[in-house]
Amino acid sequence: CLVIQRHIKRERRSTALLVQLGFVRLLNQEIASALEVLEEARDSDGATLEILIGIGQCHYQMSRGDLAIEAFSKAIEQDPNHQKTRVALAQCLVDKGAFAAARSHCLAVDPESAEMTRVRAILAASIGLRATEIDDQRRNGQERENCSTIHANWPETSFWRK
């Protein structure tokens, strides 16, 4: 982290290095500092997909659901097919109690995606079913409106590591 900081000072706060530093701080659980750096990167170079995802993660971990939803929604506008961001947005929406919106994002995730395990957990928690029943409902095109709160601790920082 110190090497990145020194390099950033020499390179006059390169956006790519700011983003890298922001994610390093996020991984080190320095959430407020990570948010500050990522917002600086956004202000200097615009709101790229990677920056918006990082900002959304920071807000989520700081229990600022509305701001996380805003950041993840902007990221989805830039890339509607970004599976991890769609799942992160769905998680934030479930936490807020917006179950129908969360389900619509979950159902837009590619069934072959590696994110399907998390999608099933989100859907199951949002409508009170076991994850295996969700698969049956997806195949049959059914949904139930029996909503409950989610108990999963997500997204985990390790989920975003490359």
PDB file of all heavy atoms in Angstrom, residues 131-150:
ATOM      1  N   ALA A 131     -33.036 -22.705  -1.644  1.00  0.00           N
ATOM      2  CA  ALA A 131     -32.428 -22.387  -2.943  1.00  0.00           C
ATOM      3  C   ALA A 131     -32.806 -23.391  -4.016  1.00  0.00           C
ATOM      4  O   ALA A 131     -32.972 -23.025  -5.178  1.00  0.00           O
ATOM      5  CB  ALA A 131     -30.909 -22.304  -2.805  1.00  0.00           C
ATOM      6  N   THR A 132     -32.982 -24.638  -3.669  1.00  0.00           N
ATOM      7  CA  THR A 132     -33.342 -25.628  -4.692  1.00  0.00           C
ATOM      8  C   THR A 132     -34.748 -25.384  -5.230  1.00  0.00           C
ATOM      9  O   THR A 132     -35.017 -25.629  -6.405  1.00  0.00           O
ATOM     10  CB  THR A 132     -33.252 -27.053  -4.130  1.00  0.00           C
ATOM     11  OG1 THR A 132     -34.023 -27.131  -2.942  1.00  0.00           O
ATOM     12  CG2 THR A 132     -31.814 -27.435  -3.839  1.00  0.00           C
ATOM     13  N   GLU A 133     -35.649 -24.901  -4.388  1.00  0.00           N
ATOM     14  CA  GLU A 133     -36.998 -24.588  -4.857  1.00  0.00           C
ATOM     15  C   GLU A 133     -36.977 -23.416  -5.829  1.00  0.00           C
ATOM     16  O   GLU A 133     -37.796 -23.358  -6.745  1.00  0.00           O
ATOM     17  CB  GLU A 133     -37.902 -24.261  -3.672  1.00  0.00           C
ATOM     18  CG  GLU A 133     -38.199 -25.460  -2.792  1.00  0.00           C
ATOM     19  CD  GLU A 133     -39.017 -25.066  -1.589  1.00  0.00           C
ATOM     20  OE1 GLU A 133     -38.585 -24.150  -0.868  1.00  0.00           O
ATOM     21  OE2 GLU A 133     -40.079 -25.680  -1.379  1.00  0.00           O
ATOM     22  N   ILE A 134     -36.022 -22.506  -5.658  1.00  0.00           N
ATOM     23  CA  ILE A 134     -35.897 -21.366  -6.570  1.00  0.00           C
ATOM     24  C   ILE A 134     -35.598 -21.866  -7.984  1.00  0.00           C
ATOM     25  O   ILE A 134     -36.166 -21.377  -8.955  1.00  0.00           O
ATOM     26  CB  ILE A 134     -34.793 -20.400  -6.102  1.00  0.00           C
ATOM     27  CG1 ILE A 134     -35.162 -19.769  -4.761  1.00  0.00           C
ATOM     28  CG2 ILE A 134     -34.527 -19.322  -7.140  1.00  0.00           C
ATOM     29  CD1 ILE A 134     -36.410 -18.939  -4.791  1.00  0.00           C
ATOM     30  N   ASP A 135     -34.692 -22.829  -8.102  1.00  0.00           N
ATOM     31  CA  ASP A 135     -34.375 -23.372  -9.422  1.00  0.00           C
ATOM     32  C   ASP A 135     -35.634 -23.929 -10.086  1.00  0.00           C
ATOM     33  O   ASP A 135     -35.870 -23.700 -11.273  1.00  0.00           O
ATOM     34  CB  ASP A 135     -33.323 -24.468  -9.321  1.00  0.00           C
ATOM     35  CG  ASP A 135     -31.939 -23.910  -9.072  1.00  0.00           C
ATOM     36  OD1 ASP A 135     -31.704 -22.745  -9.437  1.00  0.00           O
ATOM     37  OD2 ASP A 135     -31.107 -24.638  -8.521  1.00  0.00           O
ATOM     38  N   ASP A 136     -36.442 -24.669  -9.318  1.00  0.00           N
ATOM     39  CA  ASP A 136     -37.677 -25.221  -9.868  1.00  0.00           C
ATOM     40  C   ASP A 136     -38.611 -24.109 -10.326  1.00  0.00           C
ATOM     41  O   ASP A 136     -39.234 -24.187 -11.387  1.00  0.00           O
ATOM     42  CB  ASP A 136     -38.391 -26.096  -8.831  1.00  0.00           C
ATOM     43  CG  ASP A 136     -37.594 -27.342  -8.504  1.00  0.00           C
ATOM     44  OD1 ASP A 136     -36.756 -27.746  -9.330  1.00  0.00           O
ATOM     45  OD2 ASP A 136     -37.814 -27.894  -7.410  1.00  0.00           O
ATOM     46  N   GLN A 137     -38.711 -23.056  -9.531  1.00  0.00           N
ATOM     47  CA  GLN A 137     -39.592 -21.953  -9.898  1.00  0.00           C
ATOM     48  C   GLN A 137     -39.081 -21.227 -11.140  1.00  0.00           C
ATOM     49  O   GLN A 137     -39.862 -20.825 -11.989  1.00  0.00           O
ATOM     50  CB  GLN A 137     -39.744 -20.968  -8.737  1.00  0.00           C
ATOM     51  CG  GLN A 137     -40.599 -21.522  -7.629  1.00  0.00           C
ATOM     52  CD  GLN A 137     -40.893 -20.481  -6.579  1.00  0.00           C
ATOM     53  OE1 GLN A 137     -40.364 -19.379  -6.616  1.00  0.00           O
ATOM     54  NE2 GLN A 137     -41.747 -20.828  -5.656  1.00  0.00           N
ATOM     55  N   ARG A 138     -37.762 -21.040 -11.236  1.00  0.00           N
ATOM     56  CA  ARG A 138     -37.209 -20.379 -12.427  1.00  0.00           C
ATOM     57  C   ARG A 138     -37.529 -21.192 -13.672  1.00  0.00           C
ATOM     58  O   ARG A 138     -37.876 -20.647 -14.708  1.00  0.00           O
ATOM     59  CB  ARG A 138     -35.702 -20.196 -12.293  1.00  0.00           C
ATOM     60  CG  ARG A 138     -35.320 -19.031 -11.404  1.00  0.00           C
ATOM     61  CD  ARG A 138     -33.849 -18.828 -11.463  1.00  0.00           C
ATOM     62  NE  ARG A 138     -33.469 -18.479 -12.813  1.00  0.00           N
ATOM     63  CZ  ARG A 138     -32.632 -17.518 -13.135  1.00  0.00           C
ATOM     64  NH1 ARG A 138     -32.070 -16.824 -12.214  1.00  0.00           N
ATOM     65  NH2 ARG A 138     -32.334 -17.262 -14.375  1.00  0.00           N
ATOM     66  N   ARG A 139     -37.396 -22.519 -13.565  1.00  0.00           N
ATOM     67  CA  ARG A 139     -37.697 -23.369 -14.726  1.00  0.00           C
ATOM     68  C   ARG A 139     -39.178 -23.287 -15.095  1.00  0.00           C
ATOM     69  O   ARG A 139     -39.538 -23.351 -16.252  1.00  0.00           O
ATOM     70  CB  ARG A 139     -37.305 -24.811 -14.425  1.00  0.00           C
ATOM     71  CG  ARG A 139     -35.824 -25.083 -14.595  1.00  0.00           C
ATOM     72  CD  ARG A 139     -35.525 -26.572 -14.562  1.00  0.00           C
ATOM     73  NE  ARG A 139     -35.560 -27.112 -13.214  1.00  0.00           N
ATOM     74  CZ  ARG A 139     -34.557 -27.067 -12.352  1.00  0.00           C
ATOM     75  NH1 ARG A 139     -33.436 -26.487 -12.703  1.00  0.00           N
ATOM     76  NH2 ARG A 139     -34.658 -27.596 -11.153  1.00  0.00           N
ATOM     77  N   ASN A 140     -40.021 -23.164 -14.095  1.00  0.00           N
ATOM     78  CA  ASN A 140     -41.462 -23.112 -14.347  1.00  0.00           C
ATOM     79  C   ASN A 140     -41.979 -21.686 -14.545  1.00  0.00           C
ATOM     80  O   ASN A 140     -43.166 -21.490 -14.774  1.00  0.00           O
ATOM     81  CB  ASN A 140     -42.228 -23.758 -13.183  1.00  0.00           C
ATOM     82  CG  ASN A 140     -41.897 -25.228 -13.037  1.00  0.00           C
ATOM     83  OD1 ASN A 140     -41.589 -25.887 -14.023  1.00  0.00           O
ATOM     84  ND2 ASN A 140     -41.943 -25.725 -11.816  1.00  0.00           N
ATOM     85  N   GLY A 141     -41.095 -20.687 -14.425  1.00  0.00           N
ATOM     86  CA  GLY A 141     -41.501 -19.297 -14.609  1.00  0.00           C
ATOM     87  C   GLY A 141     -42.406 -18.781 -13.505  1.00  0.00           C
ATOM     88  O   GLY A 141     -43.208 -17.889 -13.722  1.00  0.00           O
ATOM     89  N   GLN A 142     -42.280 -19.337 -12.320  1.00  0.00           N
ATOM     90  CA  GLN A 142     -43.146 -18.939 -11.208  1.00  0.00           C
ATOM     91  C   GLN A 142     -42.374 -18.098 -10.214  1.00  0.00           C
ATOM     92  O   GLN A 142     -41.171 -18.199 -10.092  1.00  0.00           O
ATOM     93  CB  GLN A 142     -43.674 -20.172 -10.477  1.00  0.00           C
ATOM     94  CG  GLN A 142     -44.461 -21.105 -11.340  1.00  0.00           C
ATOM     95  CD  GLN A 142     -44.714 -22.432 -10.624  1.00  0.00           C
ATOM     96  OE1 GLN A 142     -44.026 -22.768  -9.682  1.00  0.00           O
ATOM     97  NE2 GLN A 142     -45.700 -23.156 -11.103  1.00  0.00           N
ATOM     98  N   GLU A 143     -43.109 -17.273  -9.471  1.00  0.00           N
ATOM     99  CA  GLU A 143     -42.556 -16.525  -8.361  1.00  0.00           C
ATOM    100  C   GLU A 143     -43.578 -16.501  -7.249  1.00  0.00           C
ATOM    101  O   GLU A 143     -44.774 -16.531  -7.499  1.00  0.00           O
ATOM    102  CB  GLU A 143     -42.245 -15.086  -8.760  1.00  0.00           C
ATOM    103  CG  GLU A 143     -41.080 -14.937  -9.688  1.00  0.00           C
ATOM    104  CD  GLU A 143     -40.755 -13.478  -9.919  1.00  0.00           C
ATOM    105  OE1 GLU A 143     -40.828 -12.693  -8.969  1.00  0.00           O
ATOM    106  OE2 GLU A 143     -40.468 -13.143 -11.062  1.00  0.00           O
ATOM    107  N   ARG A 144     -43.100 -16.474  -6.026  1.00  0.00           N
ATOM    108  CA  ARG A 144     -44.002 -16.331  -4.886  1.00  0.00           C
ATOM    109  C   ARG A 144     -43.749 -14.982  -4.232  1.00  0.00           C
ATOM    110  O   ARG A 144     -42.651 -14.471  -4.256  1.00  0.00           O
ATOM    111  CB  ARG A 144     -43.761 -17.451  -3.868  1.00  0.00           C
ATOM    112  CG  ARG A 144     -44.300 -18.773  -4.381  1.00  0.00           C
ATOM    113  CD  ARG A 144     -44.226 -19.883  -3.393  1.00  0.00           C
ATOM    114  NE  ARG A 144     -44.520 -19.495  -2.031  1.00  0.00           N
ATOM    115  CZ  ARG A 144     -44.162 -20.207  -0.981  1.00  0.00           C
ATOM    116  NH1 ARG A 144     -43.506 -21.322  -1.139  1.00  0.00           N
ATOM    117  NH2 ARG A 144     -44.462 -19.806   0.230  1.00  0.00           N
ATOM    118  N   GLU A 145     -44.751 -14.424  -3.636  1.00  0.00           N
ATOM    119  CA  GLU A 145     -44.646 -13.109  -3.010  1.00  0.00           C
ATOM    120  C   GLU A 145     -44.447 -13.186  -1.501  1.00  0.00           C
ATOM    121  O   GLU A 145     -44.575 -12.216  -0.797  1.00  0.00           O
ATOM    122  CB  GLU A 145     -45.897 -12.272  -3.323  1.00  0.00           C
ATOM    123  CG  GLU A 145     -46.045 -11.976  -4.798  1.00  0.00           C
ATOM    124  CD  GLU A 145     -44.864 -11.189  -5.355  1.00  0.00           C
ATOM    125  OE1 GLU A 145     -44.329 -10.307  -4.660  1.00  0.00           O
ATOM    126  OE2 GLU A 145     -44.469 -11.483  -6.497  1.00  0.00           O
ATOM    127  N   ASN A 146     -44.131 -14.366  -0.991  1.00  0.00           N
ATOM    128  CA  ASN A 146     -43.932 -14.580   0.436  1.00  0.00           C
ATOM    129  C   ASN A 146     -42.534 -14.120   0.826  1.00  0.00           C
ATOM    130  O   ASN A 146     -41.596 -14.867   0.794  1.00  0.00           O
ATOM    131  CB  ASN A 146     -44.119 -16.079   0.732  1.00  0.00           C
ATOM    132  CG  ASN A 146     -43.805 -16.435   2.148  1.00  0.00           C
ATOM    133  OD1 ASN A 146     -43.619 -15.548   2.973  1.00  0.00           O
ATOM    134  ND2 ASN A 146     -43.727 -17.712   2.431  1.00  0.00           N
ATOM    135  N   CYS A 147     -42.368 -12.840   1.184  1.00  0.00           N
ATOM    136  CA  CYS A 147     -41.056 -12.250   1.414  1.00  0.00           C
ATOM    137  C   CYS A 147     -40.653 -12.309   2.886  1.00  0.00           C
ATOM    138  O   CYS A 147     -41.468 -12.176   3.771  1.00  0.00           O
ATOM    139  CB  CYS A 147     -41.060 -10.801   0.954  1.00  0.00           C
ATOM    140  SG  CYS A 147     -41.391 -10.633  -0.796  1.00  0.00           S
ATOM    141  N   SER A 148     -39.362 -12.491   3.107  1.00  0.00           N
ATOM    142  CA  SER A 148     -38.795 -12.419   4.449  1.00  0.00           C
ATOM    143  C   SER A 148     -37.475 -11.673   4.354  1.00  0.00           C
ATOM    144  O   SER A 148     -37.018 -11.349   3.273  1.00  0.00           O
ATOM    145  CB  SER A 148     -38.595 -13.811   5.025  1.00  0.00           C
ATOM    146  OG  SER A 148     -37.636 -14.500   4.264  1.00  0.00           O
ATOM    147  N   THR A 149     -36.834 -11.416   5.483  1.00  0.00           N
ATOM    148  CA  THR A 149     -35.573 -10.672   5.454  1.00  0.00           C
ATOM    149  C   THR A 149     -34.409 -11.603   5.168  1.00  0.00           C
ATOM    150  O   THR A 149     -34.487 -12.800   5.392  1.00  0.00           O
ATOM    151  CB  THR A 149     -35.322  -9.966   6.792  1.00  0.00           C
ATOM    152  OG1 THR A 149     -35.307 -10.955   7.814  1.00  0.00           O
ATOM    153  CG2 THR A 149     -36.394  -8.938   7.080  1.00  0.00           C
ATOM    154  N   ILE A 150     -33.339 -11.021   4.686  1.00  0.00           N
ATOM    155  CA  ILE A 150     -32.163 -11.818   4.348  1.00  0.00           C
ATOM    156  C   ILE A 150     -31.232 -11.917   5.547  1.00  0.00           C
ATOM    157  O   ILE A 150     -31.146 -11.002   6.334  1.00  0.00           O
ATOM    158  CB  ILE A 150     -31.431 -11.235   3.133  1.00  0.00           C
ATOM    159  CG1 ILE A 150     -30.374 -12.190   2.647  1.00  0.00           C
ATOM    160  CG2 ILE A 150     -30.799  -9.898   3.451  1.00  0.00           C
ATOM    161  CD1 ILE A 150     -30.024 -12.028   1.221  1.00  0.00           C
TER     162      ILE A 150
END
